[in-house]
C-alpha cells in the first residue's frame, strides 16, 4: 500500500500531539512484552480516536527509528518525531527465546498481567485473550526482541487498527518495568524456595536483642589530607572482647549514619562493636547543597566513588589508634577483622572494599549508548563516575574480611568480571520491587559473578527502603517513589538482624553455632504470604535463564 498520513485540516494541531502521544503510549505498552505473529507483514497503522482517524506508513516509522531521518511524508511533522520518541520506538523486550512461553505463563499468572492482556483485546479490535497470549510468545522469540516497529510489522493484516482511547489508558495504567519486576518476583518466590522436610526449630533466636547493655558514642574524625570531616557513631557493649570482629555500616546516597540504628544496636547487644560512618560527600546535607540537582548524573561528585571506600579505610586507621588508648573503647575495636554492611551506594562501597574491581570503561559505554530518561535512579547515579580518570581501579582494604550489601548499587560499576575478583564472603539482599536499584541488574546478575562464599537474600515484594529503621525519616524520597516500610516488612528487618549476626559470627569461634541461620530454612521460617523470604547460596538451574530478561 502507498505511504499515507491523513488529517482533517481544521484539527491539525490537535492531531499532531495526538499522533505523538499515541506512538509514545504504544511504545510503553509494547515494552511490556506484547507481540503479534508475523504471518503477514502490515504496511500501515490506523489510529482511531472518536470521529478522527489517522493512517501512518510503517516503513516511514521504521526508517525514522533506524536512522533518525524523516521521509517526505513525515517531514511535515518534524516537531513530533524527537530523539526521545526515536528511543522509545527502538525500546525492546528481550528474554531467552527458549523461555518465551514460560515468561508468558508467569506474566499471565499475575493480576496485573491478566488485566493488561484483557485491556489489549479492547485496544486491538479482532484480537482475543488466547491469541494475544500465543502471539506474545512468538514475539518474544524474535532474535532482536520486541519493539514498537517489529510489533507493527508483524501484525497479520495489511493495516493495523488501534483504539486510541484504550491504548492511552493502558499506557497510563501499566508500567513495563513494574510488570517485569512482578513477573520476576513470582518466578523467584517459587523457584528459590527450598523444600524443608522438618520445621525449623532453633535453640535460640539470633534476631532477639542480646543481654549486654549497649553504649553509644559519636566521634567526628578529620581527614586533613582529603579535607573531609567524617562523623561516626560507635556502638559497643562491655561483653565485647579484643577478638570480636568490628562492623562498619555505610549509608546510601542522600542518607546518613542513623539509617540502620536498629541493626547497629542489635549487633552491639551481642558483643559486636559497630561503627556507623557518615560520608560527607554523599549524605543528605551534601545532596541538598549540590549545585546540579537537576542533573542526576552530576548530582554525585565523581570522586565520591573513590572517597567513600577511602573514608572507611581512614576510619579503620583512626579506630586502630583509639583501640590502644585508655578509655571505654580500649580493646573494643578489632580493626584487623572487619565486616562492612552497606545499603545502596553503601553496598557499592562494601563491594569495593572487599575486593571488587571498578570498570569505568563499561560504565562509560553504558552511559553513552544505553542510558534512557526512564531508567531508574541507580542507573543514572553510576554515570556520575564517568569523569574519573583511568579504566579500572581497586580500593580493596585487606582488613575487610566480609561484606553484607543491602540493595547495593552496582549496575555496570564492576563490569562483567569485576566482582569475580572477590574471594571473601559476601551476602547480598535484593528486593523485587526496588525501583531505585532494580533486583535483576543491580543484585541478582552481580551475585552470579561472586566466586567466594556467598548468599543471596531475596525479599519478594519489598522495596529499596524496606530495611531502614522504622523511625528513620526519608523526607520527600518515599513520597516520590512508593516504599514499603511498615508492619508488612517487619519480618524482613527481623531476618536482617538474625542473618547479619550469624554472618558476622562466621569470623569467630562461634561460626558453627550460627551457621543454621544462614540457611533457606531460617529465611523461610520468617516468610509471610505478603512478603516471601528466600536465602540461597547459589541460583537454582531453573532460575538462571531469567537472568537474560531485559527491557531495553
Amino acid at each position: 500500500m502507498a505511504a499515507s498520513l491523513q488529517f482533517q485540516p481544521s484539527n491539525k494541531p490537535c492531531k499532531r500531539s495526538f499522533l505523538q502521544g499515541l506512538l509514545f503510549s504504544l511504545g510503553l505498552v509494547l515494552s511490556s512484552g506484547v507481540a503479534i505473529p508475523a504471518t503477514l507483514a502490515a504496511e500501515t497503522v490506523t489510529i482511531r480516536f472518536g470521529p478522527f482517524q489517522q493512517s501512518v506508513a510503517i516503513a516511514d516509522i521504521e526508517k525514522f527509528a533506524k536512522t533518525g531521518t524523516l521521509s517526505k511524508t513525515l517531514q511535515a511533522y518534524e516537531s513530533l518525531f524527537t530523539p526521545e520518541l526515536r528511543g522509545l520506538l527502538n525500546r525492546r523486550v528481550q528474554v531467552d527465546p527458549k523461555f518465551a512461553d514460560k515468561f508468558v505463563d508467569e506474566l499471565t499468572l499475575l493480576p496485573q498481567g491478566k488485566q493488561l492482556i484483557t485491556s489489549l483485546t479492547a485496544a486491538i479490535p479482532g484480537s482475543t485473550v488466547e491469541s494475544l497470549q500465543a502471539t506474545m510468545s512468538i514475539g518474544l522469540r524474535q532474535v532482536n526482541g520486541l519493539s514498537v516497529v517489529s510489533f507493527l510489522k508483524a501484525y497479520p493484516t495489511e493495516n493495523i487498527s488501534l483504539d486510541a482511547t484504550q491504548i492511552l489508558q493502558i499506557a497510563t495504567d501499566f508500567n513495563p518495568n513494574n510488570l517485569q519486576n512482578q513477573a520476576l518476583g513470582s518466578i523467584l518466590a517459587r523457584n528459590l524456595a527450598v523444600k524443608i522436610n522438618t520445621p525449623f526449630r532453633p535453640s535460640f533466636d539470633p534476631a532477639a536483642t542480646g543481654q549486654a547493655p549497649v553504649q553509644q558514642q559519636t566521634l567526628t574524625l578529620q581527614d586533613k589530607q582529603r579535607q573531609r570531616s567524617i562523623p561516626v557513631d560507635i556502638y559497643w557493649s562491655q561483653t565485647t572482647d579484643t577478638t570480636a570482629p568490628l562492623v562498619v555500616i555505610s549509608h546510601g546516597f542522600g542518607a546518613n549514619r542513623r539509617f540502620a540504628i536498629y541493626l547497629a544496636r542489635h549487633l552491639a547487644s551481642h558483643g559486636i562493636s559497630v561503627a556507623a560512618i557518615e560520608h560527607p560527600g554523599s549524605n543528605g546535607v551534601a545532596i541538598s547543597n549540590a549545585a546540579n540537582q537537576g542533573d542526576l548524573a552530576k548530582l554525585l561528585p565523581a570522586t565520591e566513588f573513590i572517597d567513600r571506600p577511602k573514608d572507611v579505610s581512614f576510619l579503620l586507621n583512626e579506630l586502630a589508634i583509639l583501640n590502644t588508648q585508655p578509655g571505654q573503647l580500649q580493646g573494643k575495636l578489632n580493626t584487623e577483622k572487619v565486616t562492612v554492611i552497606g545499603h545502596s551506594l553503601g553496598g557499592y562501597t562494601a563491594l569495593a572494599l572487599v575486593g571488587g574491581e571498578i570498570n569505568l570503561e563499561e560504565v562509560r559505554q553504558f552511559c553513552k549508548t544505553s542510558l534512557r530518561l526512564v531508567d531508574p535512579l541507580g542507573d543514572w547515579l553510576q554515570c556520575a563516575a564517568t569523569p574519573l580518570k583511568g579504566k579500572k581501579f581497586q580500593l580493596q582494604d585487606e582488613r575487610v574480611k566480609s561484606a553484607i550489601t543491602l540493595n547495593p548499587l552496582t549496575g555496570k560499576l564492576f563490569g562483567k568480571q569485576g566482582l569475580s575478583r572477590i574471594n571473601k564472603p559476601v551476602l547480598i539482599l535484593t528486593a523485587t520491587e526496588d525501583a531505585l536499584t532494580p533486583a535483576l541488574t543491580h543484585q541478582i546478575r552481580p551475585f552470579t559473578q561472586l566466586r567466594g562464599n556467598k548468599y543471596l537474600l531475596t525479599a519478594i515484594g519489598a522495596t529499596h527502603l524496606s530495611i531502614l529503621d522504622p523511625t528513620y525519616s526519608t523526607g520527600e524520597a518515599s513520597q516520590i517513589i512508593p516504599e514499603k516500610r511498615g508492619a508488612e516488612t517487619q519480618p524482613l528487618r527481623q531476618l536482617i538482624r538474625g542473618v547479619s549476626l550469624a554472618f558476622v559470627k562466621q569470623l569467630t569461634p562461634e561460626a558453627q553455632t550460627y551457621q543454621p541461620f544462614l540457611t533457606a530454612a531460617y529465611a523461610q521460617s520468617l516468610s509471610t504470604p505478603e512478603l516471601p523470604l528466600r536465602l540461597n547460596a547459589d541460583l537454582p538451574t531453573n532460575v538462571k535463564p531469567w537472568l537474560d530478561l531485559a527491557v531495553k
Side-chain angles (χ1 to χ4, degrees):
M1 297 177 65
S4 62
L5 184 62
Q6 302 169 353
F7 290 101
Q8 297 287 339
S10 61
N11 293 288
K12 186 178 293 186
C14 173
K15 290 191 174 182
R16 286 187 178 184
S17 59
F18 164 66
L19 171 62
Q20 187 181 39
L22 260 295
L23 288 172
F24 267 93
S25 300
L26 184 59
L28 291 173
V29 172
L30 296 182
S31 293
S32 301
V34 181
I36 304 294
T39 56
L40 177 64
E43 297 182 5
T44 60
V45 55
T46 298
I47 304 171
R48 305 180 188 279
F49 184 63
F52 304 120
Q53 176 175 311
Q54 304 180 124
S55 293
V56 181
I58 296 173
D60 290 349
I61 297 175
E62 181 179 21
K63 180 180 179 182
F64 168 72
K66 288 182 176 180
T67 67
T69 59
L70 297 174
S71 66
K72 291 182 178 179
T73 305
L74 296 183
Q75 284 176 2
Y77 310 98
E78 184 176 1
S79 62
L80 306 181
F81 288 82
T82 63
E84 186 178 5
L85 176 59
R86 183 187 176 199
L88 189 59
L89 291 173
N90 285 309
R91 193 177 183 189
R92 63 190 187 276
V93 176
Q94 288 187 310
V95 65
D96 187 332
K98 294 182 295 183
F99 295 90
D101 291 340
K102 291 185 179 180
F103 175 77
V104 174
D105 290 342
E106 295 291 344
L107 182 63
T108 54
L109 287 173
L110 300 170
Q112 194 177 19
K114 292 179 181 177
Q115 182 58 46
L116 172 63
I117 294 175
T118 300
S119 299
L120 283 169
T121 61
I124 306 174
S127 63
T128 65
V129 172
E130 292 74 19
S131 67
L132 287 173
Q133 290 175 331
T135 55
M136 185 187 298
S137 297
I138 295 173
L140 287 172
R141 293 191 189 99
Q142 298 176 23
V143 175
N144 295 321
L146 178 67
S147 68
V148 174
V149 173
S150 64
F151 174 95
L152 297 175
K153 291 179 65 177
Y155 198 78
T157 61
E158 290 187 351
N159 180 73
I160 307 170
S161 181
L162 299 175
D163 185 318
T165 303
Q166 294 292 331
I167 290 291
L168 288 170
Q169 186 61 48
I170 293 172
T172 300
D173 292 344
F174 296 94
N175 182 298
N177 287 318
N178 289 343
L179 279 173
Q180 174 181 296
N181 290 340
Q182 289 187 28
L184 181 64
S186 176
I187 294 164
L188 296 179
R190 287 197 310 278
N191 294 326
L192 292 183
V194 175
K195 185 177 180 180
I196 309 298
N197 294 322
T198 59
F200 186 72
R201 294 192 178 96
S203 59
F204 67 99
D205 181 6
T209 303
Q211 296 181 354
V214 175
Q215 300 182 62
Q216 186 262 329
Q217 181 178 348
T218 298
L219 306 173
T220 301
L221 307 176
Q222 302 296 334
D223 187 338
K224 296 180 180 178
Q225 182 177 356
R226 295 184 300 142
Q227 298 183 332
R228 284 169 78 87
S229 180
I230 303 173
V232 57
D233 290 339
I234 308 294
Y235 302 84
W236 79 97
S237 69
Q238 292 303 319
T239 62
T240 303
D241 60 43
T242 56
T243 64
L246 172 70
V247 168
V248 176
I249 297 182
S250 173
H251 63 79
F253 172 73
N256 62 45
R257 64 190 185 278
R258 306 285 168 79
F259 80 97
I261 291 178
Y262 76 97
L263 180 57
R265 297 189 66 85
H266 177 71
L267 294 173
S269 75
H270 285 272
I272 305 295
S273 291
V274 177
I277 190 172
E278 187 156 333
H279 303 283
S282 52
N283 61 4
V285 175
I287 303 309
S288 297
N289 295 335
N292 294 300
Q293 291 192 16
D295 188 338
L296 291 176
K298 297 179 180 179
L299 188 56
L300 186 67
T303 52
E304 196 67 6
F305 289 90
I306 295 176
D307 280 330
R308 275 178 148 263
K310 287 188 174 182
D311 286 345
V312 175
S313 293
F314 174 76
L315 169 68
L316 296 182
N317 294 339
E318 295 296 299
L319 294 185
I321 297 172
L322 187 61
N323 189 56
T324 63
Q325 296 176 346
Q328 290 181 309
L329 292 173
Q330 186 177 26
K332 304 292 185 183
L333 306 169
N334 185 358
T335 57
E336 295 302 316
K337 189 186 294 183
V338 179
T339 295
V340 177
I341 300 177
H343 176 246
S344 194
L345 189 56
Y348 153 81
T349 305
L351 289 169
L353 284 162
V354 83
E357 181 180 73
I358 290 83
N359 190 322
L360 289 176
E361 284 188 310
E362 291 201 32
V363 178
R364 292 186 185 114
Q365 181 66 21
F366 169 80
C367 299
K368 181 180 179 181
T369 63
S370 302
L371 186 64
R372 303 164 302 165
L373 183 63
V374 297
D375 284 336
L377 178 64
D379 287 356
W380 281 85
L381 283 181
Q382 67 180 325
C383 294
T386 57
L388 292 172
K389 296 182 180 179
K391 298 179 180 179
K392 298 180 179 181
F393 59 89
Q394 281 198 335
L395 297 163
Q396 182 177 9
D397 191 314
E398 292 294 343
R399 294 170 291 187
V400 177
K401 306 303 182 182
S402 60
I404 296 176
T405 64
L406 309 172
N407 308 93
L409 169 73
T410 59
K412 302 294 182 180
L413 285 167
F414 297 98
K416 295 182 178 65
Q417 300 295 328
L419 295 179
S420 65
R421 294 180 173 272
I422 297 175
N423 56 15
K424 297 176 180 179
V426 174
L427 184 148
I428 293 180
L429 167 71
T430 186
T432 61
E433 293 187 18
D434 186 338
L436 300 178
T437 55
L440 187 62
T441 53
H442 285 263
Q443 291 106 41
I444 297 178
R445 285 177 186 159
F447 173 78
T448 63
Q449 288 189 37
L450 297 171
R451 294 291 177 264
N453 191 17
K454 62 183 181 178
Y455 303 92
L456 180 68
L457 180 58
T458 305
I460 313 298
T463 61
H464 191 71
L465 304 182
S466 291
I467 61 94
L468 267 58
D469 192 291
T471 64
Y472 180 80
S473 174
T474 58
E476 298 179 356
S478 59
Q479 299 175 16
I480 298 173
I481 298 175
E483 290 284 348
K484 296 179 181 178
R485 296 184 56 197
E488 74 273 24
T489 54
Q490 187 277 331
L492 172 59
R493 292 186 290 275
Q494 180 180 355
L495 181 59
I496 291 295
R497 292 196 302 270
V499 165
S500 295
L501 179 62
F503 186 84
V504 174
K505 286 287 188 178
Q506 297 309 297
L507 299 177
T508 75
E510 298 176 277
Q512 187 172 354
T513 301
Y514 282 87
Q515 183 61 41
F517 301 103
L518 293 174
T519 62
Y522 176 55
Q524 291 174 203
S525 73
L526 297 177
S527 187
T528 67
E530 296 77 21
L531 192 73
L533 299 170
R534 305 287 184 258
L535 181 61
N536 302 83
D538 199 0
L539 291 180
T541 303
N542 57 359
V543 169
K544 292 180 180 179
W546 300 106
L547 298 181
D548 294 327
L549 176 64
V551 177
K552 299 182 178 180

